[in-house]
Amino acid sequence: MKNSLTVILLFIFLSAYSQEHFSTISGNVKDVYGKPLPFASVLIEGLQLGVLTDDNGAYTIDKVPQGRRTIVVSFIGYTTRSKVVEIKNNTEKITLNYTLEENVENLDEVNVNGKSKETKLETKGFAVNAIKTEEASLRNIQTNELLNTTVGVKIRQNGGLGSDVTYSLNGLSGNSVRIFIDGIPISTYGNSFNLNSIPPSMIKNIEVYKGVVPGYLADDALGGAINIVLHNDAKTNFNASISYGSFNTLQASVNGLYRFEKSGLTIKASLFHNYSDNDYKVSGRSVVVTGLGGVQTPITARRFNDAYRSTGGRAEIGYTDVKWADQFFIGITGSDDYKEVQHGAFMTITPYKDRFLESDALLGSITYQKKNLFTKGLDVNINGLYGKRNRAVNDTVSWAYSWTGERAIDFRGDEYQYTWRSQQEGGPTLAKIKRNVASIRTGISYALNGNHKFSANHVYSGIDREDSDALQSVLENTFVGTRDLNKNIYSLTYELTALDEKLNTNLFVKHYQQKTTSVDPAIESDENGNDIIVDEVVSSNKNYDGYGFAASYEIVPNVTLLTSAEKAIRLPNETEIFGNDGDNVVANSSIDPESSNNYNLGFRFGNFNIKKNAFTISTNIFTRNIKDRIGLPIETSLNVNDELIIYVNQGSGTSKGFDAQLNYSYNNNFGLNFNISKFDLKIENQGIEVDVPNTPFFTMNGGLRYSFKNIFQKKSRLNAFYNVYFTDKFSFLTAQGSNTVGNEFFEVPEQLSQDIGLSYAFPNNKFVVSFDIKNIFDEAVYDNLSVQKPGRAFYLKLNYAINKF
């Protein structure tokens, strides 16, 4: 690992000052209210040079020759503006900002705008959604909530803020879906730095790939991948926000970047803090009080052992937009969290009290990006992490408790203790898991010309794990076991663009290699009867290959056919193999990888503009043929109250369905979005094909937004939001035989949750106040294994931003 980083650094610095120097014009384009205008046209008169602004209204034009130049900016529905600049020999960078006014004359014909980065991504053939976070970062919305509004995505959260989360993409969920931060597997960062804790303000955008994952995200993502792209802008900026609301929930974040224009030296940092008591009300079949004679009385109770706290940050220093690097950073990421545990995998009639988890991580990072390295078309991208992660489980209370928070009583009325002397079965524990972790992603691509591109990617992930428990004997802790996992994923990709960019194809192959080793010291007797120490070793080294393609064809302007397929492999992860006491997971060293043949076929219509109307419609039909699916055992009425879980190979199965979404806006003021996802997920259980339990097969999400201009103050903007989430009923119990009487006891009912919100942007657009009400009608909302989620909640958020100072 160290040698690899040394070679990489040497390679980087050898490229220094090898690039030709060009003058650059950059800036941003906004309306009179300070709102960015994406996809505005920026052209230099007399030259074949021009670009479209990005989603933030920013633009950059490179390789501008010297002389007197006129730069013209135009946008549909707005007046055109131009500025003249003089570019001299020693001119390196020029900044030109534009403010456009709305044009009273409207066009009657249909207009087709240039493609944004998100549109280009969504029309490459993959079943992918690109999610913007700019608007969400100003509201009381967590990153997971933002993902939950995306078509085909279902967030399975086991409670409130900080609770266990799994992600479902078209029916494939759990560890079949890989999460990345800038292409690095998020598992490397540990529990304390995850999508529960990272605020949307730290995120530039989110890419969601369903079923088929491109080669540059080289990993064993069977059902899809979610890539969190953090802000990498090289412009000086600052953002701070604080939010407070129900259940004593506090969330705060600070992000900032400062760049020295002459040298390119750049410093950036981000901090976050989250806290919640999570003391929301719950009810249901397990929320009861047991009285004399064992009589159980249903009650409505508050969760009393579910508090969550997370604190973390990242600091980086390096260079941006210099001759030898577009970006080069060395940084450090640290995080720490505390999570109380109210119950096991299921809500039980005797909840936990004083059982809690603690996690922390400290990792160093290196980032290097350079386009046109040595020669035009050669791009290099390197991200590396190395550091330590720790997790501790504290469970030493032997008394039983009821949902009132008081000690439970037996049928005689006496308080009682568990014979195993802890909240979870298995005995008291102060278990600690220490990990040394490493991950590095390397990507090299070469564009032969505008039509052919080749790329190679490699991701290495390594975990060196050591378990211990302070409550075990000295002898047990002396002979502590170790767990090692090393994984390498390689990919090669070829991209073809043809027929005037109407046809895009992407062909890729992947190679998966994973080695796991468990070592547990033990005492045995030799042939002479003497005690000796031996290592019990369980290891495996497995190799697999996969391949796939994605293709798109623009039938007519802005009507695109999309298709993709992949033979995907998903290797079991550390928790599934080695177990994890903190998450109530038992080890299973014999678990096998799962595989799937994934297919997508869809259409994308838009973005179309008719007068002031703009809309996009997209659809996707999919099928997943799964072998050796990894998941929890198929539940029966005999084990639904177990506190411990184990991951197993459930068997072979299929997932078939469709999803569709509509995005509509009018005059940049009114917005509507709607999506629907429906599928079947079946698996063979004891020779019988059954629906996979604990899986919602039908979901719908919708949202409305309207902006009021000049409310209370000129150049201010008031935004009103409404969101609705529908989940059809589903069961977390598999029907046994033809007699299904009583199975409704295990059925999660149909759910409809609604949120509303307001945000007010002051005239300078630096200060935004927002107010949100979640689950406005206080509906009972459930998720994993019928664990209840929070009811109605209120949140107030203040956000302050400086884009340039």
Side-chain angles (χ1 to χ4, degrees):
M1 183 67 187
K2 294 180 179 178
N3 291 337
S4 298
L5 288 177
T6 302
V7 171
I8 291 167
L9 287 172
L10 181 61
F11 177 75
I12 291 169
F13 286 106
L14 284 175
S15 65
Y17 305 105
S18 65
Q19 304 298 308
E20 188 177 352
H21 175 68
F22 298 104
S23 297
T24 300
I25 297 177
S26 61
N28 58 70
V29 181
K30 300 181 179 180
D31 64 12
V32 293
Y33 302 101
K35 183 178 180 180
L37 295 178
F39 325 134
S41 174
V42 184
L43 298 172
I44 300 180
E45 283 189 351
L47 298 175
Q48 292 184 341
L49 283 178
V51 295
L52 296 176
T53 57
D54 63 17
D55 293 329
N56 300 315
Y59 72 91
T60 300
I61 304 177
D62 296 315
K63 301 181 181 180
V64 182
Q66 67 184 64
R68 187 178 178 85
R69 305 298 176 192
T70 301
I71 295 85
V72 181
V73 176
S74 60
F75 188 69
I76 295 173
Y78 289 78
T79 57
T80 299
R81 292 204 58 189
S82 63
K83 294 182 179 181
V84 179
V85 295
E86 184 73 30
I87 300 176
K88 300 179 181 179
N89 287 330
N90 59 351
T91 303
E92 290 189 359
K93 293 186 178 181
I94 296 176
T95 300
L96 293 178
N97 298 322
Y98 292 81
T99 300
L100 304 186
E101 297 180 352
E102 289 188 84
N103 194 339
V104 295
E105 298 181 1
N106 296 312
L107 301 176
D108 292 331
E109 68 270 17
V110 176
N111 296 300
V112 180
N113 283 346
K115 292 183 179 180
S116 67
K117 291 181 179 179
E118 286 75 19
T119 301
K120 289 180 180 179
L121 181 67
E122 292 178 351
T123 54
K124 282 189 173 183
F126 295 94
V128 57
N129 295 99
I131 306 171
K132 305 175 185 177
T133 62
E134 181 181 10
E135 186 176 87
S137 66
L138 303 178
R139 299 182 58 205
N140 294 281
I141 295 179
Q142 299 174 41
T143 305
N144 280 324
E145 291 179 288
L146 183 61
L147 279 167
N148 204 33
T149 63
T150 305
V151 61
V153 180
K154 181 64 178 175
I155 303 299
R156 314 297 307 281
Q157 186 155 7
N158 210 27
L161 182 67
S163 59
D164 186 45
V165 177
T166 59
Y167 303 85
S168 175
L169 300 182
N170 293 150
L172 298 187
S173 60
N175 293 304
S176 294
V177 177
R178 293 303 194 198
I179 316 296
F180 301 87
I181 296 181
D182 288 333
I184 292 290
I186 198 171
S187 58
T188 307
Y189 291 89
N191 294 77
S192 54
F193 194 80
N194 54 37
L195 299 193
N196 269 324
S197 56
I198 302 174
S201 60
M202 288 178 60
I203 301 170
K204 183 177 182 181
N205 55 50
I206 304 174
E207 303 166 354
V208 180
Y209 289 91
K210 290 169 284 187
V212 181
V213 180
Y216 89 92
L217 289 177
D219 206 350
D220 55 331
L222 184 86
I226 299 172
N227 186 34
I228 307 300
V229 182
L230 300 181
H231 282 292
N232 60 357
D233 298 331
K235 297 180 180 178
T236 298
N237 63 81
F238 176 82
N239 178 282
S241 67
I242 186 168
S243 166
Y244 184 77
S246 298
F247 322 122
N248 194 27
T249 301
L250 174 69
Q251 295 178 278
S253 66
V254 178
N255 310 298
L257 179 147
Y258 190 86
R259 183 178 188 274
F260 296 87
E261 293 294 334
K262 290 186 178 181
S263 65
L265 179 65
T266 305
I267 301 171
K268 61 180 179 179
S270 56
L271 298 170
F272 64 82
H273 176 75
N274 305 288
Y275 178 82
S276 180
D277 287 335
N278 280 326
D279 57 343
Y280 58 90
K281 294 181 179 180
V282 292
S283 59
R285 68 184 183 91
S286 299
V287 185
V288 299
V289 172
T290 303
L292 291 175
V295 177
Q296 295 182 345
T297 304
I299 64 170
T300 296
R302 286 191 178 275
R303 297 170 75 94
F304 55 85
N305 190 58
D306 203 23
Y308 172 71
R309 183 201 71 239
S310 67
T311 304
R314 166 181 284 195
E316 295 177 279
I317 185 170
Y319 290 87
T320 56
D321 293 339
V322 291
K323 296 177 182 180
W324 52 274
D326 297 331
Q327 290 204 24
F328 173 68
F329 283 105
I330 294 175
I332 187 170
T333 300
S335 57
D336 175 89
D337 78 349
Y338 167 86
K339 178 69 176 74
E340 295 175 349
V341 183
Q342 185 70 83
H343 48 71
F346 297 83
M347 289 180 66
T348 54
I349 61 175
T350 52
Y352 298 159
K353 188 170 185 180
D354 294 327
R355 175 180 169 90
F356 62 89
L357 312 174
E358 292 179 300
S359 303
D360 64 80
L362 186 64
L363 304 112
S365 64
I366 181 172
T367 301
Y368 178 74
Q369 296 176 10
K370 184 69 182 85
K371 292 184 177 181
N372 302 319
L373 179 66
F374 300 130
T375 184
K376 184 177 180 181
L378 180 62
D379 300 341
V380 175
N381 193 330
I382 300 168
N383 294 87
L385 278 176
Y386 179 79
K388 296 181 179 295
R389 283 171 27 208
N390 301 302
R391 198 176 199 203
V393 182
N394 188 308
D395 189 347
T396 59
V397 177
S398 60
W399 291 101
Y401 288 87
S402 73
W403 277 101
T404 62
E406 304 295 327
R407 290 180 181 175
I409 60 174
D410 58 22
F411 68 95
R412 298 187 186 90
D414 298 325
E415 296 177 350
Y416 67 94
Q417 294 176 289
Y418 295 122
T419 57
W420 50 84
R421 299 180 295 113
S422 62
Q423 298 293 287
Q424 180 182 292
E425 292 185 34
T429 181
L430 291 174
K432 289 186 177 181
I433 300 176
K434 297 181 179 180
R435 299 176 176 92
N436 293 320
V437 296
S439 183
I440 184 166
R441 180 175 69 90
T442 305
I444 299 175
S445 65
Y446 179 67
L448 192 62
N449 49 42
N451 303 103
H452 305 277
K453 184 177 180 179
F454 301 88
S455 60
N457 289 270
H458 169 239
V459 170
Y460 165 80
S461 300
I463 297 174
D464 181 1
R465 170 174 155 176
E466 182 179 294
D467 297 17
S468 64
D469 193 328
L471 294 185
Q472 291 181 342
S473 66
V474 174
L475 183 63
E476 289 175 306
N477 279 312
T478 300
F479 300 113
V480 66
T482 60
R483 308 287 184 263
D484 296 330
L485 184 149
N486 293 279
K487 181 170 64 175
N488 288 279
I489 313 291
Y490 305 87
S491 71
L492 293 174
T493 303
Y494 167 67
E495 297 178 61
L496 170 67
T497 303
L499 304 178
D500 294 327
E501 299 187 356
K502 292 182 178 180
L503 175 67
N504 290 277
T505 61
N506 185 301
L507 305 174
F508 57 87
V509 295
K510 299 178 181 178
H511 178 72
Y512 310 85
Q513 182 269 332
Q514 178 170 280
K515 182 178 180 180
T516 62
T517 305
S518 300
V519 180
D520 291 298
I523 297 178
E524 294 183 359
S525 298
D526 61 15
E527 56 186 12
N528 298 319
N530 299 317
D531 291 339
I532 60 172
I533 300 173
V534 297
D535 286 337
E536 296 180 350
V537 180
V538 178
S539 64
S540 69
N541 191 351
K542 299 180 179 180
N543 292 268
Y544 300 89
D545 293 305
Y547 47 84
F549 82 93
S552 67
Y553 181 74
E554 193 173 51
I555 303 170
V556 296
N558 277 21
V559 177
T560 307
L561 170 69
L562 309 167
T563 182
S564 59
E566 181 181 8
K567 177 190 176 183
I569 306 293
R570 208 273 283 182
L571 305 166
N573 69 8
E574 173 202 359
T575 298
E576 293 161 343
I577 299 172
F578 303 138
N580 190 318
D581 290 339
D583 293 327
N584 298 355
V585 182
V586 179
N588 183 1
S589 60
S590 62
I591 193 168
D592 292 323
E594 60 181 328
S595 62
S596 179
N597 294 322
N598 301 333
Y599 305 94
N600 296 301
L601 178 65
F603 287 89
R604 192 179 194 278
F605 305 88
N607 185 23
F608 290 110
N609 288 272
I610 305 175
K611 294 185 178 180
K612 295 183 178 181
N613 301 274
F615 66 92
T616 303
I617 300 174
S618 61
T619 63
N620 183 50
I621 301 171
F622 61 86
T623 180
R624 315 280 187 253
N625 299 320
I626 311 158
K627 182 181 179 182
D628 294 328
R629 182 179 190 264
I630 297 175
L632 302 181
I634 302 297
E635 300 295 346
T636 70
S637 58
L638 300 178
N639 61 2
V640 292
N641 285 315
D642 287 349
E643 296 176 354
L644 302 177
I645 59 177
I646 184 172
Y647 287 96
V648 299
N649 293 110
Q650 294 175 332
S652 299
T654 58
S655 175
K656 298 179 181 179
F658 75 93
D659 55 45
Q661 67 174 346
L662 164 69
N663 292 301
Y664 169 80
S665 66
Y666 176 77
N667 196 31
N668 287 327
N669 284 337
F670 173 76
L672 177 151
N673 63 78
F674 172 79
N675 65 65
I676 180 173
S677 177
K678 185 174 177 60
F679 63 92
D680 293 320
L681 178 57
K682 297 183 180 297
I683 197 165
E684 288 187 11
N685 182 36
Q686 298 179 350
I688 301 174
E689 192 175 61
V690 297
D691 289 330
V692 173
N694 196 34
T695 302
F697 298 112
F698 180 37
T699 59
M700 292 188 294
N701 300 312
L704 299 174
R705 172 188 59 82
Y706 193 84
S707 296
F708 301 89
K709 299 177 181 178
N710 302 318
I711 299 294
F712 306 124
Q713 297 173 289
K714 288 185 178 181
K715 296 185 179 182
S716 66
R717 186 182 292 265
L718 176 68
N719 298 309
F721 304 92
Y722 168 77
N723 294 95
V724 58
Y725 313 92
F726 171 81
T727 303
D728 199 13
K729 62 182 179 181
F730 62 97
S731 175
F732 56 83
L733 171 75
T734 299
Q736 302 298 305
S738 58
N739 182 6
T740 59
V741 176
N743 280 347
E744 63 274 6
F745 185 70
F746 302 97
E747 192 172 84
V748 178
E750 181 181 283
Q751 301 170 67
L752 185 70
S753 177
Q754 301 169 73
D755 303 340
I756 58 174
L758 293 171
S759 69
Y760 183 77
F762 285 79
N764 58 13
N765 215 38
K766 293 180 180 179
F767 190 58
V768 179
V769 179
S770 63
F771 177 71
D772 287 82
I773 306 177
K774 307 286 183 66
N775 195 357
I776 55 178
F777 296 110
D778 201 24
E779 295 289 331
V781 182
Y782 303 89
D783 214 319
N784 289 332
L785 308 170
S786 197
V787 176
Q788 193 169 346
K789 299 170 70 174
R792 181 168 49 233
F794 304 86
Y795 299 94
L796 178 68
K797 184 174 184 178
L798 308 178
N799 194 93
Y800 182 76
I802 303 176
N803 292 322
K804 185 74 175 179
F805 54 81

